[in-house]
Amino acid sequence: MKLVILDRDGTINRSRGDYVTNADEWEPLPGALEAIAQLNHAGFHVVVVSNQSGLGRGLFDVDALNAMHAKLHKQLAAAGGRVDAIFYCPHAPEEACTCRMPQPGLLLQIAERYGIELQGVPMAGDRVRDLQAAVAAGCEPHLVLSGAHQDSLGSDGQPLPPELPEGTRVHPDLGTFAAFVVERDAVEPLRVAI
Ligand SMILES: [Zn+2]
């Protein structure tokens, strides 16, 4: 199977300064749903990973999270796309779990669920910690500048964070990431070993 893994907040939907706590606050970034549809049309399965420590902190509950994801699935379907699954970490940082990114636990759950190796699977996120998790799990790291580092897009550009894993590719947003992955795949198809 061809697989792409995407972070949620700041990658697919607008990140807010604090937390997205309900479906009303869940707003897709311009072009993000279409980008997922483009990946699907090129034969890619898309899986979402997300740190949702707002659950562990008691800022919202699982019903609210499910409502956000129902909105995601519905709007994405209207754009002609789909995500296969959404894996999230519900823990607060002090719980010291193994699934909160930069830990790779969520990604390893995907590998286990699908029975695949993640070596070379493209993963896009807006934060260094997303990509640290990506690399720890063997994925190919891609930074999108549509969330935490959106200020890095200026003409002179703020410097990118030095902790970015080596070899991280940088894209303005999910649309340019998807175009890159799809174009490369047309030349040099990526197949994940099953
Ligand atoms: Zn966790």
Side-chain angles (χ1 to χ4, degrees):
M1 71 186 284
K2 297 198 294 184
L3 178 67
V4 166
I5 299 173
L6 304 177
D7 168 55
R8 198 195 81 172
D9 298 339
T11 302
I12 298 172
N13 57 280
R14 290 183 200 285
S15 62
R16 301 166 60 90
D18 43 11
Y19 297 89
V20 178
T21 64
N22 59 55
D24 285 343
E25 293 176 350
W26 193 90
E27 297 176 278
L29 285 160
L33 302 180
E34 293 77 9
I36 294 171
Q38 185 187 4
L39 287 164
N40 295 149
H41 293 151
F44 285 93
H45 292 260
V46 175
V47 173
V48 175
V49 290
S50 192
N51 283 350
Q52 290 298 327
S53 67
L55 285 170
R57 299 173 205 262
L59 300 175
F60 54 87
D61 59 17
V62 171
D63 286 346
L65 188 68
N66 287 340
M68 295 176 217
H69 293 166
K71 184 175 180 183
L72 181 161
H73 288 299
K74 186 177 175 190
Q75 293 201 4
L76 184 54
R82 74 183 294 267
V83 295
D84 286 25
I86 300 173
F87 288 72
Y88 62 87
C89 164
H91 306 112
E94 58 271 21
E95 293 178 73
C97 66
T98 58
C99 49
R100 179 172 164 78
M101 295 181 284
Q103 299 290 328
L106 288 180
L107 298 164
L108 300 179
Q109 287 176 27
I110 294 172
E112 188 173 359
R113 170 90 65 93
Y114 291 89
I116 59 175
E117 300 284 338
L118 295 181
Q119 202 64 41
V121 169
M123 175 180 164
D126 72 318
R127 291 178 181 272
V128 167
R129 69 182 183 203
D130 304 333
L131 305 181
Q132 289 170 333
V135 167
C139 295
E140 179 187 74
H142 294 262
L143 181 73
V144 289
L145 301 175
S146 49
H149 296 291
Q150 57 185 328
D151 294 337
S152 307
L153 252 184
S155 52
D156 293 330
Q158 300 289 319
L160 290 167
E163 320 81 44
L164 265 187
E166 196 176 340
T168 299
R169 290 182 172 84
V170 181
H171 311 271
D173 57 25
L174 198 58
T176 44
F177 162 78
F180 171 85
V181 168
V182 168
E183 284 169 27
R184 182 180 62 180
D185 182 66
V187 177
E188 153 189 15
L190 172 74
R191 294 288 185 278
V192 175
I194 295 182

